[in-house]
Amino acid sequence: MKIKEGYIVRKIGSKFYAVSAARAAEGAGMIALNETGAFIWDLLKEENTVEAIAKALTERYEGLDIETATKDTEAYIGMLKEAGALA
């Protein structure tokens, strides 16, 4: 899975926002991202798996176990699917 084409990510203050250029005119297509969400978003610019993302998270955040990382990644990807952001 990977992010659909046409999204632009910008940092405003301490938050990141991903905006779909195609859906912006409709007043839709904006996704707020925290630092971890932005990290996952970057990983999803290329084709990636839940397992690979969870492993990357455990390498980035000391003390995070693979089970928690996998569960959180699956939840986050579910949100991105619901928002229509994944290809």
Side-chain angles (χ1 to χ4, degrees):
M1 80 199 87
K2 71 183 252 184
I3 297 294
K4 286 183 179 177
E5 296 292 324
Y7 276 88
I8 300 165
V9 177
R10 295 289 184 257
K11 184 175 183 181
I12 301 172
S14 63
K15 290 249 183 192
F16 294 85
Y17 295 90
V19 179
S20 167
R23 298 187 63 207
E26 305 166 11
M30 182 181 287
I31 302 169
L33 310 168
N34 61 17
E35 183 181 325
T36 303
F39 177 72
I40 295 171
W41 186 276
D42 283 341
L43 293 173
L44 287 170
K45 288 180 181 176
E46 305 278 329
E47 188 69 30
N48 233 316
T49 65
V50 169
E51 294 79 15
I53 294 167
K55 184 176 185 299
L57 287 169
T58 62
E59 292 168 357
R60 182 177 174 107
Y61 297 103
E62 187 176 323
L64 178 62
D65 62 87
I66 193 69
E67 293 82 17
T68 302
T70 300
K71 180 181 171 190
D72 291 349
T73 299
E74 288 170 342
Y76 186 74
I77 287 172
M79 182 276 300
L80 291 177
K81 284 180 182 176
E82 190 173 304
L86 295 179

